[in-house]
């Protein structure tokens, strides 16, 4: 059964003005007594390259600081690893494969089970059994006074869970972040990571036809075409020679995969 206790990150030593001590004590007390709770009817955004198989740690709330004052916070959770899926696991295991996936979310007020994308709390740090988990790097920005953000993506923590000294006991996840009025959530899932070829076969119906033994392609739409056909079509549309072409004064191209976001 997952559990969590929230603690203020201050060790108790306060070197500021004496007049601020009662306020600090009040902030610490309010943070310490907020217990983590399971978020019922929680719906994360489905990820196309990951098939959900099992919830390892139910979505747990990282409670807000009611005063709104930014405060260092900690939360600890315990979970059990389904080791039967990782008997022959190695760091270089080919895809498709099972993975343990850590995900963070920002939970809006009056949450009503809408799908939530991955989002990391401010100054988020995660540890598995004292092992520091590498989170996605902060997105560089030149804008002043902008809160640093990380890419919206899950975190593969399989290697941190496998490489533990005592695999027989429950594992511990420690999360640190800077709390404010926003509520967050953390969850751990067992997923099956698939390849782009598997997704393509699902989109075209090839996987279903192969499973049923149907070799007819007449009723299955074709979603593929040669690479040069797509390239030539883009060049023609950007050429400006026809009335239905695309007229542009500026072109920005993203190097991120729109599906995998990498």
């Amino acid at each position: 059964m997952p559990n969590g206790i929230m603690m203020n990150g201050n060790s108790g030593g306060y070197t500021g003005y004496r007049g601020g001590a009662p306020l600090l004590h009040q902030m610490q007390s309010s943070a310490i007594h907020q217990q983590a709770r399971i978020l019922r009817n929680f719906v994360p955004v489905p990820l196309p390259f990951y098939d959900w198989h099992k919830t390892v740690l139910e979505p747990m709330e990282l409670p807000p600081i009611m005063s709104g004052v930014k405060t260092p916070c900690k939360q600890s959770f315990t979970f059990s690893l389904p080791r039967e899926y990782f008997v022959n696991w190695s760091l270089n295991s080919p895809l498709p494969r099972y993975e343990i996936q850590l995900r963070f979310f920002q939970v809006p007020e009056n949450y009503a089970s809408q799908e939530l994308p991955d989002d990391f709390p401010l100054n988020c740090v995660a540890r598995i059994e004292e092992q520091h988990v590498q989170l996605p790097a902060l997105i560089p920005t030149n804008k002043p006074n902008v809160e640093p953000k990380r890419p919206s993506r899950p975190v593969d923590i399989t290697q941190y869970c496998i490489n533990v000294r005592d695999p027989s006991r429950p594992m511990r996840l420690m999360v640190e972040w800077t709390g404010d009025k926003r509520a967050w959530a953390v969850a751990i899932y067992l997923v099956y990571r698939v390849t782009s070829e598997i997704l393509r076969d699902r989109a075209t119906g090839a996987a279903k036809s192969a499973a049923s033994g149907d070799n007819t392609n007449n009723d299955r739409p074709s979603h593929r075409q040669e690479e040069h056909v797509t390239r030539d079509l883009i060049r023609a549309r950007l050429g400006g020679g026809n009335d239905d072409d695309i007229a542009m004064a500026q072109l920005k191209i993203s190097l991120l995969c729109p599906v995998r976001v990498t």
Side-chain angles (χ1 to χ4, degrees), residues 68-84:
V69 179
K70 291 185 177 181
T71 307
C73 301
K74 290 183 181 180
Q75 192 89 26
S76 63
F77 308 93
T78 57
F79 63 95
S80 297
L81 179 67
R83 292 190 171 273
E84 62 272 18

Side-chain angles (χ1 to χ4, degrees), residues 108-137:
E109 294 185 15
N110 303 320
Y111 175 66
S113 298
Q114 63 267 34
E115 291 185 349
L116 295 181
D118 294 78
D119 198 357
F120 292 86
L122 179 62
N123 299 326
C124 181
V125 176
R127 293 184 177 88
I128 301 290
E129 295 295 335
E130 305 305 327
Q131 300 180 84
H132 184 84
V133 176
Q134 184 175 356
L135 303 179

Side-chain angles (χ1 to χ4, degrees), residues 42-61:
F42 187 86
V43 184
V45 168
L47 302 175
F49 279 90
Y50 302 93
D51 294 342
W52 175 90
H53 271 255
K54 183 179 181 180
T55 299
V56 178
L57 175 67
E58 294 286 347
M60 303 293 293
E61 183 187 39

Side-chain angles (χ1 to χ4, degrees), residues 137-159:
L138 294 173
I139 301 175
T141 179
N142 295 326
K143 299 179 180 179
N145 302 322
V146 174
E147 181 179 297
K149 300 286 291 183
R150 300 181 188 272
S152 177
R153 66 179 65 169
V155 181
D156 178 15
I157 59 172
T158 309
Q159 60 177 324

Side-chain angles (χ1 to χ4, degrees), residues 193-229:
R193 184 175 177 180
V194 300
T195 63
S196 57
E197 289 77 12
I198 294 177
L199 290 182
R200 180 200 63 203
D201 292 342
R202 291 176 181 176
T204 59
K208 183 177 180 180
S209 299
S212 61
D214 183 10
N215 296 323
T216 60
N217 297 324
N218 296 332
D219 298 333
R220 191 170 71 238
S222 176
H223 294 267
R224 297 193 66 193
Q225 63 182 10
E226 295 298 329
E227 180 181 352
H228 70 87
V229 176

